[in-house]
Amino acid sequence: MYILFTILIVIAAVLLTLLVLVQNSKGGGLAAGFNSGNQVMGVRKTTDFLEKATWTLIAIIVLLSVFAVGMHKNAGATQVESSAVAEQAQEKANELAAPIQAFPEEAQEAE
């Protein structure tokens, strides 16, 4: 699932790059090429569409990034890597958890 999110992030990033390159920094961009007045999408509507598409792709990248990090951390939690320190700590915890019988003779007499 992590790989799927990563692929979707790369696709969205490429689309966002292309979308930003189409826009002009002064607001002309793709809309500047349409000078006729009898078109379906006017100049203002073209820039509105490009701006909404840009913000949508940014939101998609952010959400996919958050989900990818969540999936990656969950995958890492299932894989337990033990180190020498962790093994020693576990052994010490097991020793402390074992019942302490300082005087085994007294325990037998009590029974």
Side-chain angles (χ1 to χ4, degrees):
M1 197 69 165
Y2 175 74
I3 295 173
L4 175 67
F5 283 138
T6 305
I7 291 171
L8 290 175
I9 290 169
V10 169
I11 291 171
V14 168
L15 289 174
L16 181 63
T17 303
L18 294 174
L19 193 62
V20 169
L21 287 175
V22 167
Q23 297 176 9
N24 187 1
S25 62
K26 295 180 183 177
L30 187 62
F34 300 117
N35 293 327
S36 64
N38 58 359
Q39 58 200 18
V40 176
M41 288 179 59
V43 172
R44 181 70 186 149
K45 290 190 180 198
T46 303
T47 56
D48 285 345
F49 170 75
L50 291 175
E51 183 178 351
K52 287 179 184 177
T54 302
W55 284 109
T56 303
L57 282 173
I58 291 170
I60 288 172
I61 290 173
V62 168
L63 288 174
L64 287 174
S65 299
V66 169
F67 289 141
V69 167
M71 288 294 172
H72 187 65
K73 286 197 175 194
N74 287 342
T78 58
Q79 299 174 353
V80 178
E81 295 182 20
S82 61
S83 64
V85 174
E87 289 175 4
Q88 290 176 358
Q90 184 63 36
E91 289 173 6
K92 187 58 81 174
N94 290 341
E95 289 175 9
L96 293 175
I100 300 173
Q101 294 184 353
F103 302 104
E105 299 87 23
E106 290 179 7
Q108 290 176 356
E109 292 175 4
E111 292 176 0

